[in-house]
Amino acid sequence: MSLPGESGFYEFFHQATGYQPFPYQRRMALAETFPSILNVPTGAGKTAAAILSWLWRRRFASDEVRAQTPRRLVYCLPMRVLVEQTYENACQWLENLGLLAAVPGDERPASDGGTRIAVTVLMGGENPGGRDASGRAGGDWDAYPERDAILVGTQDMLLSRALNRGYGMSRYRWPVHFALLNNDCLWVMDEVQLMGAGLPTTAQLQAFRISPELGGGESASYGPVQSLWMSATLKIDGLKTVDFAAQVEDLSANAVALEDYDRAHDRLSARLNAAKPLAQAATVLDKTSEKKGYARDLAREVLDRHLPGSLTLVILNRVKRAQDVFEALTGAARKRARGKGSIPELLLIHSRFRPAEREALQERLQAAGRTPPPGGCIVVATQAIEAGVDVSARLLVTEMAPWTSLVQRFGRCNRRGEWSGGSPAQILWVDIAGAQDSSELALPYRAADLVRARAIVAEVAEAGLRFIAGIEDQAPAPLAHVLRRRDLLDLFDTTPDLSGFDLDVSRYIREEGDNDLHLYWREWDGDHPPDDPLPPRREELCSVSLASARDYIKRISNQDGLIFRWDSLDRRWIRVRSQDPIWPGLTLLVRADQGGYDLNLGWTGAPGMVPVVPAAPEAGENGDHSMDGDPASAAGRFVGLAEHSEAVVLAMESLLGGLGFSPGLPREDLRLAARWHDAGKGHPAFQNMLLDGRGRDDPRRQNGPWAKSDAVRRRARYLAAGDRGEIHERKHFRHELAGALALLQGGGSDLAAYLAAAHHGKVRLSIRSLPGETVPPGGRRFARGIWEGDQLPSLDLGAGVRTSPVSLRLGLMELGEGENGPSWLERALTLRNRYGPFRLAWLEALLRAADWRGSMEVSLEVSDDA
């Protein structure tokens, strides 16, 4: 590849995409300063502009530009359907350039001599470590914080992680994703007009990342941090939040938009000038027709207008209406086709399908978009398809929606200007009569937004990009909860309250009532699920709104229904009934005979038998994949404490080397924490747990202390025996607390002790006893299975480091100044205020990654006798 420069970028872009870049794409990549606002029409290549500009600046630009470009690209999208397409594009471009990693941590050299770049999907139902995680220890993206990476996800999954409350993942992994999504990262927000309450949150988070005050007078984040907001209908006022308003004027001055020479570009001009005649449909939606006749009448009108050999797209505002119209189309098409040849292929696409079915539908949609069958294809969809999906319909039928949504929907019609002459394109809008008098009829939108949009479309006869580019909806900005500094600091603490609940972040991510949870279906005998099941797989999870889920739970609860949630603290299933709280991001298990899902229609909530998505043959074969398992920490053999400690220290050195120069990084504290992080495993209670089932004469009882056992085999023994009891002799025992106390009592720093305590995400800002713990005799203090006065023997931590015996003291769990100095809470809060929440979490993530990777190294060879 050529040396950096304009000609080098042309070669780079063409190799990645097969096309020459548009002028504005070149400007983005070669600009002195990377922009924060990109305002170009739909279909103009925003995705390629963002991803390939970042990649060029990160890997091929000058050293100065590369150093200013974050190593992680976080591509945030408002809807699931957009994620798959962006993920596939990013993978293809990297593959074409010789840069794609098969899995995170891929050691094959890239074409430019550097490391390969993994692309990871983060959305509901994905493995928390990403799409490519296969059970192999250390295969997750968050184990490689020093590597360049691309993360593609929905705003629900990404923003919840950036707020330290990650939806659909283990709570104990929250701080790692919080760190990696707020340090050394470029956030790209695409289709921001659809983000709602999430938009001001992205602005506030960027304000906090660059705030010196939040980092104790230094930068609030390690590494460069930037944000890019993109849309065809971007209203910059949405970014003028209380802590970011001062930055917005500078962002506007550096915004990228189309110039005259962009519009003159052949390919771009064809898209901008594509004809899209706009007219009102004959069918009208109102209170009467919605209940009777609307689906039938719209299906007939669509069939009358559909042209064989073409693609027709019908976009409706509600999933239930889309399902009804799809069923009406199916019946009407069959009647018309009797003896008259082929009928159009019919597809239903919305956000309430499981990935197992949705991905097959997406493939059929893309195939029909490229080469429609003889009868053509009619796609019935919700707003899940209105933005970003690269299909071009000859006929587009859309229900009335807010103007910004309509603009996105119009972009799916005659997208490349291919429909003209004798087969012109056509857009029909369906009026929602009386929307201003019925908020229910207008849902999921506000009635006032539909009234304003109707006034616009009633005066417009052409929806081509160049005709509607200057039309704006003067809607007032919706009220939204704004994330403030105090909120962010409170969210740093991941300890649930005494009732077991967490701070709710949904109001910072979606509008009220627009939040989802996930259901999955399994088969089992009896009224209780297996005690140690495999966790849900992405392909079997169905996204469901809170309101719909509540109705469903109420219906099946009245029939003694079988629906459960997993309690991570007590490691047990809890039956969910109609009066129980549910919240966004929650994952619920349902017995398959309880119904709620149809293969052809998606989520229905109706009775029936739900086909279970079969597991891949390799599922669960490698590592600990229980509901709370930490696969990267599992081992297949007994590993000595000294061996494991040395492996983690070496992994930490590799991490620090990969990060290069990073001002303010406390390297010595990180090395000390790596050496001591598992010292608490020398506690007799932990060693007894590892050696459970081993006879007194087993040589392992004399050759310890051990850091790890043959974990997979030990778990298999418990399951085979049907043992439902606690594995530890002390319930809620945490070895990392014992190690942190020993490190402090041995003169270690507060930071090193905090990192050692936090390296599993379970002991962080507070030390307190939990319900069900065994109370020690004599009224001694106790917390997380550690008792005041517990003896930790002398331990070999590798490289000649040997600890002294220590009697553990728990005075630090008391508030205020005590016999052991400041309390643990005071020390932790002092560290949070000194480093700031983002940088302190980053240090936690580094130790966690070193532990995972050190565990992977010592687990590669499995002894024959383990």
Side-chain angles (χ1 to χ4, degrees):
M1 193 166 289
S2 304
L3 292 174
E6 186 163 345
S7 61
F9 178 71
Y10 277 103
E11 181 185 353
F12 159 86
F13 195 97
H14 184 269
Q15 183 176 336
T17 66
Y19 298 101
Q20 292 296 333
F22 296 139
Y24 86 88
Q25 294 171 328
R26 175 188 57 79
R27 294 199 304 275
M28 280 186 65
L30 302 179
E32 181 178 344
T33 303
F34 193 71
S36 291
I37 293 176
L38 176 59
N39 197 342
V40 299
T42 183
K46 295 192 301 294
T47 303
I51 293 177
L52 293 177
S53 293
W54 166 81
L55 182 58
W56 172 262
R57 298 174 74 88
R58 178 66 190 166
R59 299 297 281 264
F60 300 100
S62 66
D63 290 344
E64 181 180 1
V65 171
R66 292 170 70 177
Q68 295 170 356
T69 304
R71 71 183 70 229
R72 269 176 302 285
L73 172 64
V74 183
Y75 204 108
C76 179
L77 292 152
M79 294 180 293
R80 299 175 61 100
V81 70
L82 307 180
V83 172
E84 296 288 353
Q85 180 173 290
T86 303
Y87 167 78
E88 290 168 4
N89 285 337
C91 288
Q92 187 61 62
W93 296 332
L94 288 173
E95 179 68 28
N96 293 344
L97 292 164
L99 299 175
L100 180 65
V103 294
D106 189 343
E107 295 298 337
R108 296 175 299 154
S111 60
D112 66 344
T115 58
R116 288 178 173 259
I117 299 174
V119 185
T120 298
V121 169
L122 289 174
M123 63 180 180
E126 292 292 338
N127 181 291
R131 169 69 54 85
D132 295 319
S134 60
R136 181 179 69 85
D140 295 22
W141 71 272
D142 47 4
Y144 300 90
E146 83 281 22
R147 297 282 186 95
D148 294 348
I150 297 176
L151 311 174
V152 186
T154 59
Q155 71 183 65
D156 306 73
M157 296 299 128
L158 290 173
L159 286 180
S160 63
R161 282 160 169 76
L163 295 172
N164 215 12
R165 292 298 184 276
Y167 290 170
M169 63 179 293
S170 168
R171 64 180 304 112
Y172 306 121
R173 216 161 177 166
W174 286 349
V176 180
H177 288 204
F178 173 72
L180 271 62
L181 294 178
N182 286 297
N183 293 275
D184 207 352
C185 56
L186 166 65
W187 275 71
V188 175
M189 274 63 65
D190 200 355
E191 308 296 358
V192 299
Q193 78 283 350
L194 303 177
M195 290 189 69
L199 182 58
T201 300
T202 64
Q204 285 294 96
L205 282 171
Q206 178 62 17
F208 296 146
R209 294 184 195 116
I210 62 177
S211 169
E213 292 78 14
L214 202 61
E218 301 180 37
S219 172
S221 300
Y222 285 115
V225 286
Q226 296 176 259
S227 292
L228 171 63
W229 290 273
M230 307 194 306
S231 174
T233 54
L234 176 62
K235 290 186 176 181
I236 201 167
D237 286 349
L239 300 177
K240 292 181 179 179
T241 57
V242 61
D243 292 296
F244 198 60
Q247 308 290 329
V248 173
E249 186 172 344
D250 292 337
L251 301 184
S252 300
N254 193 33
V256 171
L258 296 186
E259 306 288 350
D260 288 342
Y261 49 89
D262 289 295
R263 299 183 183 92
H265 189 283
D266 290 344
R267 281 193 300 118
L268 194 50
S269 175
R271 298 186 180 197
L272 295 175
N273 293 298
K276 305 179 184 185
L278 180 66
Q280 183 176 352
T283 306
V284 175
L285 173 64
D286 56 29
K287 291 182 179 179
T288 302
S289 66
E290 183 183 38
K291 297 177 181 177
K292 185 177 181 180
Y294 174 72
R296 178 199 62 216
D297 294 344
L298 185 59
R300 289 174 178 172
E301 184 170 4
V302 169
L303 282 173
D304 289 341
R305 296 270 193 165
H306 173 72
L307 185 68
S310 72
L311 176 66
T312 292
L313 184 56
V314 183
I315 304 181
L316 307 173
N317 296 344
R318 303 295 299 272
V319 171
K320 182 62 170 63
R321 287 207 293 269
Q323 291 170 331
D324 291 344
V325 170
F326 175 76
E327 290 189 299
L329 270 170
T330 301
R334 287 173 179 168
K335 288 181 181 178
R336 292 193 181 192
R338 289 171 185 167
K340 297 181 180 179
S342 62
I343 63 174
E345 180 181 2
L346 300 177
L347 297 178
L348 174 64
I349 296 178
H350 55 72
S351 60
R352 308 306 185 196
F353 277 103
R354 298 182 300 197
E357 287 77 43
R358 187 179 62 249
E359 288 171 5
L361 291 169
Q362 292 289 343
E363 290 177 3
R364 291 172 61 191
L365 171 61
Q366 294 298 333
R370 290 189 297 268
T371 308
C377 181
I378 300 177
V379 180
V380 182
T382 61
Q383 54 269 51
I385 203 174
E386 73 182 27
V389 178
D390 190 13
V391 295
S392 182
R394 187 198 69 85
L395 173 64
L396 171 70
V397 181
T398 172
E399 287 184 336
M400 184 55 57
W403 177 246
T404 54
S405 294
L406 289 177
V407 171
Q408 297 299 324
R409 296 181 187 190
F410 296 163
R412 304 316 114 199
C413 179
N414 202 17
R415 188 169 175 81
R416 291 171 285 276
E418 64 268 47
W419 294 101
S420 61
S423 300
Q426 176 71 66
I427 298 176
L428 300 177
W429 58 272
V430 178
D431 193 19
I432 301 181
Q436 67 272 21
D437 302 319
S438 174
S439 58
E440 179 68 25
L441 204 61
L443 288 175
Y445 304 114
R446 293 176 299 185
D449 293 339
L450 302 193
V451 171
R452 283 193 306 274
R454 190 190 188 285
I456 295 174
V457 299
E459 300 297 325
V460 176
E462 170 60 55
L465 292 175
R466 68 186 180 93
F467 292 100
I468 64 174
I471 301 176
E472 291 188 9
D473 179 10
Q474 302 301 320
L479 296 176
H481 293 277
V482 177
L483 180 77
R484 300 304 306 273
R485 174 176 172 166
R486 172 48 55 190
D487 301 318
L488 181 69
L489 294 175
D490 288 344
L491 287 167
F492 183 77
D493 187 1
T494 53
T495 308
D497 65 24
L498 294 177
S499 299
F501 296 107
D502 297 293
L503 292 173
D504 181 17
V505 297
S506 62
R507 61 187 181 275
Y508 303 126
I509 297 173
R510 297 276 188 183
E511 279 78 11
E512 184 178 356
D514 188 20
N515 297 284
D516 290 350
L517 48 71
H518 298 93
L519 273 64
Y520 67 109
W521 289 263
R522 296 271 178 89
E523 292 180 316
W524 68 82
D525 295 327
D527 290 342
H528 197 277
D531 290 298
D532 194 47
L534 292 174
R537 307 181 309 279
R538 62 168 298 275
E539 62 268 20
E540 60 182 337
L541 280 169
C542 180
S543 181
V544 179
S545 71
L546 282 178
S548 186
R550 287 192 182 100
D551 291 342
Y552 174 69
I553 292 170
K554 181 178 181 180
R555 180 182 68 77
I556 66 173
S557 291
N558 291 339
Q559 303 168 13
D560 203 26
L562 300 175
I563 184 166
F564 299 84
R565 68 176 178 88
W566 180 257
D567 186 317
S568 295
L569 190 61
D570 286 336
R571 295 182 57 79
R572 64 187 180 94
W573 289 108
I574 295 178
R575 196 162 185 168
V576 178
R577 302 186 184 277
S578 57
Q579 68 272 21
D580 295 333
I582 57 175
W583 54 89
L586 182 65
T587 299
L588 299 176
L589 169 64
V590 187
R591 202 171 73 178
D593 59 3
Q594 303 297 288
Y597 188 86
D598 182 90
L599 291 179
N600 296 313
L601 298 176
W603 167 256
T604 63
M609 184 71 184
V610 179
V612 172
V613 178
E618 67 275 10
E621 290 182 358
N622 302 309
D624 181 358
H625 281 257
S626 63
M627 294 294 288
D628 300 309
D630 196 355
S633 293
R637 66 180 178 93
F638 273 81
V639 179
L641 182 58
E643 179 187 1
H644 175 62
S645 296
E646 183 63 16
V648 174
V649 171
L650 292 175
M652 177 63 75
E653 293 296 344
S654 176
L655 268 169
L656 295 176
L659 290 170
F661 177 69
S662 186
L665 196 65
R667 294 171 180 265
E668 291 307 314
D669 285 296
L670 286 165
R671 292 183 176 106
L672 182 61
R675 180 69 64 186
W676 276 77
H677 80 288
D678 268 355
K681 288 184 175 179
H683 193 289
F686 190 88
Q687 292 300 302
N688 289 341
M689 180 274 294
L690 288 186
L691 292 163
D692 178 82
R694 305 284 177 178
R696 289 296 170 186
D697 296 330
D698 192 294
R700 293 176 181 80
R701 291 194 175 273
Q702 286 75 46
N703 295 341
W706 303 105
K708 298 180 182 295
S709 73
D710 54 345
V712 178
R713 294 170 175 79
R714 181 168 54 83
R715 175 175 294 281
R717 289 199 305 274
Y718 270 86
L719 295 180
D723 194 329
R724 295 177 59 177
E726 293 295 323
I727 295 177
H728 282 286
E729 61 189 47
R730 294 188 185 178
K731 189 175 181 180
H732 302 311
F733 178 88
R734 297 311 313 170
H735 69 272
E736 56 269 43
L737 174 57
L741 294 173
L743 178 54
L744 274 181
Q745 291 175 215
S749 67
D750 286 353
L751 177 58
Y754 172 83
L755 296 178
H759 82 272
H760 283 296
K762 298 186 178 183
V763 181
R764 298 182 70 242
L765 264 64
S766 65
I767 300 175
R768 71 185 190 205
S769 57
L770 296 178
E773 284 197 52
T774 303
V775 179
R780 289 181 284 169
R781 297 186 184 99
F782 65 98
R784 304 310 300 264
I786 309 299
W787 298 353
E788 180 87 20
D790 277 351
Q791 300 298 309
L792 206 61
S794 175
L795 301 168
D796 180 2
L797 299 182
V801 177
R802 177 166 286 279
T803 71
S804 300
V806 62
S807 176
L808 299 178
R809 301 193 297 268
L810 279 168
L812 295 178
M813 67 185 292
E814 307 291 347
L815 297 179
E817 189 85 15
E819 63 216 55
N820 304 124
S823 69
W824 179 266
L825 177 62
E826 184 175 341
R827 293 171 193 246
L829 291 178
T830 298
L831 289 171
R832 186 200 66 184
N833 294 336
R834 175 185 171 188
Y835 288 95
F838 299 145
R839 294 197 301 156
L840 185 56
W842 176 252
L843 302 179
E844 292 183 57
L846 293 183
L847 180 58
R848 195 91 176 264
D851 187 26
W852 289 338
R853 284 157 66 168
S855 298
M856 178 179 67
E857 289 300 321
V858 299
S859 301
L860 291 179
E861 296 182 4
V862 180
S863 61
D864 293 335
D865 60 346

